[in-house]
PDB file of all heavy atoms in Angstrom:
ATOM      1  N   SER A1315     178.876  53.943-126.735  1.00  0.00           N
ATOM      2  CA  SER A1315     179.170  55.084-125.846  1.00  0.00           C
ATOM      3  C   SER A1315     178.197  56.218-126.141  1.00  0.00           C
ATOM      4  O   SER A1315     178.126  56.690-127.283  1.00  0.00           O
ATOM      5  CB  SER A1315     180.617  55.555-126.033  1.00  0.00           C
ATOM      6  OG  SER A1315     180.800  56.854-125.534  1.00  0.00           O
ATOM      7  N   LYS A1316     177.503  56.673-125.137  1.00  0.00           N
ATOM      8  CA  LYS A1316     176.591  57.822-125.306  1.00  0.00           C
ATOM      9  C   LYS A1316     177.377  59.046-125.730  1.00  0.00           C
ATOM     10  O   LYS A1316     176.941  59.814-126.591  1.00  0.00           O
ATOM     11  CB  LYS A1316     175.869  58.068-123.995  1.00  0.00           C
ATOM     12  CG  LYS A1316     174.908  59.273-124.025  1.00  0.00           C
ATOM     13  CD  LYS A1316     174.202  59.429-122.705  1.00  0.00           C
ATOM     14  CE  LYS A1316     173.281  60.631-122.714  1.00  0.00           C
ATOM     15  NZ  LYS A1316     172.582  60.808-121.421  1.00  0.00           N
ATOM     16  N   TYR A1317     178.551  59.202-125.196  1.00  0.00           N
ATOM     17  CA  TYR A1317     179.372  60.383-125.484  1.00  0.00           C
ATOM     18  C   TYR A1317     179.889  60.352-126.942  1.00  0.00           C
ATOM     19  O   TYR A1317     179.857  61.342-127.663  1.00  0.00           O
ATOM     20  CB  TYR A1317     180.525  60.469-124.506  1.00  0.00           C
ATOM     21  CG  TYR A1317     181.420  61.673-124.737  1.00  0.00           C
ATOM     22  CD1 TYR A1317     181.016  62.935-124.368  1.00  0.00           C
ATOM     23  CD2 TYR A1317     182.656  61.502-125.363  1.00  0.00           C
ATOM     24  CE1 TYR A1317     181.822  64.033-124.600  1.00  0.00           C
ATOM     25  CE2 TYR A1317     183.463  62.604-125.576  1.00  0.00           C
ATOM     26  CZ  TYR A1317     183.063  63.875-125.208  1.00  0.00           C
ATOM     27  OH  TYR A1317     183.849  64.959-125.436  1.00  0.00           O
ATOM     28  N   LEU A1318     180.399  59.203-127.398  1.00  0.00           N
ATOM     29  CA  LEU A1318     180.973  59.112-128.726  1.00  0.00           C
ATOM     30  C   LEU A1318     179.931  59.018-129.831  1.00  0.00           C
ATOM     31  O   LEU A1318     180.154  59.461-130.949  1.00  0.00           O
ATOM     32  CB  LEU A1318     181.957  57.924-128.816  1.00  0.00           C
ATOM     33  CG  LEU A1318     183.210  58.008-127.945  1.00  0.00           C
ATOM     34  CD1 LEU A1318     184.013  56.714-128.064  1.00  0.00           C
ATOM     35  CD2 LEU A1318     184.064  59.178-128.351  1.00  0.00           C
ATOM     36  N   SER A1319     178.832  58.373-129.533  1.00  0.00           N
ATOM     37  CA  SER A1319     177.808  58.148-130.546  1.00  0.00           C
ATOM     38  C   SER A1319     176.848  59.332-130.714  1.00  0.00           C
ATOM     39  O   SER A1319     176.251  59.550-131.762  1.00  0.00           O
ATOM     40  CB  SER A1319     176.993  56.882-130.238  1.00  0.00           C
ATOM     41  OG  SER A1319     176.207  57.087-129.067  1.00  0.00           O
ATOM     42  N   GLY A1320     176.687  60.111-129.606  1.00  0.00           N
ATOM     43  CA  GLY A1320     175.690  61.165-129.613  1.00  0.00           C
ATOM     44  C   GLY A1320     174.306  60.690-129.380  1.00  0.00           C
ATOM     45  O   GLY A1320     173.326  61.495-129.491  1.00  0.00           O
ATOM     46  N   PHE A1321     174.089  59.404-129.073  1.00  0.00           N
ATOM     47  CA  PHE A1321     172.759  58.872-128.832  1.00  0.00           C
ATOM     48  C   PHE A1321     172.254  59.294-127.443  1.00  0.00           C
ATOM     49  O   PHE A1321     173.030  59.662-126.587  1.00  0.00           O
ATOM     50  CB  PHE A1321     172.750  57.344-128.909  1.00  0.00           C
ATOM     51  CG  PHE A1321     173.073  56.814-130.288  1.00  0.00           C
ATOM     52  CD1 PHE A1321     173.549  55.520-130.462  1.00  0.00           C
ATOM     53  CD2 PHE A1321     172.911  57.594-131.412  1.00  0.00           C
ATOM     54  CE1 PHE A1321     173.819  55.022-131.716  1.00  0.00           C
ATOM     55  CE2 PHE A1321     173.209  57.106-132.695  1.00  0.00           C
ATOM     56  CZ  PHE A1321     173.659  55.825-132.819  1.00  0.00           C
ATOM     57  N   LYS A1322     170.966  59.210-127.283  1.00  0.00           N
ATOM     58  CA  LYS A1322     170.352  59.585-125.989  1.00  0.00           C
ATOM     59  C   LYS A1322     170.670  58.564-124.917  1.00  0.00           C
ATOM     60  O   LYS A1322     170.645  58.875-123.716  1.00  0.00           O
ATOM     61  CB  LYS A1322     168.855  59.736-126.153  1.00  0.00           C
ATOM     62  CG  LYS A1322     168.443  60.925-127.009  1.00  0.00           C
ATOM     63  CD  LYS A1322     166.924  61.075-127.079  1.00  0.00           C
ATOM     64  CE  LYS A1322     166.532  62.271-127.918  1.00  0.00           C
ATOM     65  NZ  LYS A1322     165.056  62.406-128.011  1.00  0.00           N
ATOM     66  N   LYS A1323     170.922  57.340-125.337  1.00  0.00           N
ATOM     67  CA  LYS A1323     171.212  56.268-124.365  1.00  0.00           C
ATOM     68  C   LYS A1323     172.538  55.607-124.697  1.00  0.00           C
ATOM     69  O   LYS A1323     172.824  55.340-125.874  1.00  0.00           O
ATOM     70  CB  LYS A1323     170.085  55.236-124.382  1.00  0.00           C
ATOM     71  CG  LYS A1323     170.255  54.126-123.347  1.00  0.00           C
ATOM     72  CD  LYS A1323     169.066  53.171-123.365  1.00  0.00           C
ATOM     73  CE  LYS A1323     169.227  52.090-122.321  1.00  0.00           C
ATOM     74  NZ  LYS A1323     168.074  51.139-122.290  1.00  0.00           N
TER      75      LYS A1323
END
Side-chain angles (χ1 to χ4, degrees):
S1315 161
K1316 178 179 179 180
Y1317 180 75
L1318 294 176
S1319 68
F1321 295 159
K1322 293 182 179 180
K1323 184 177 181 180

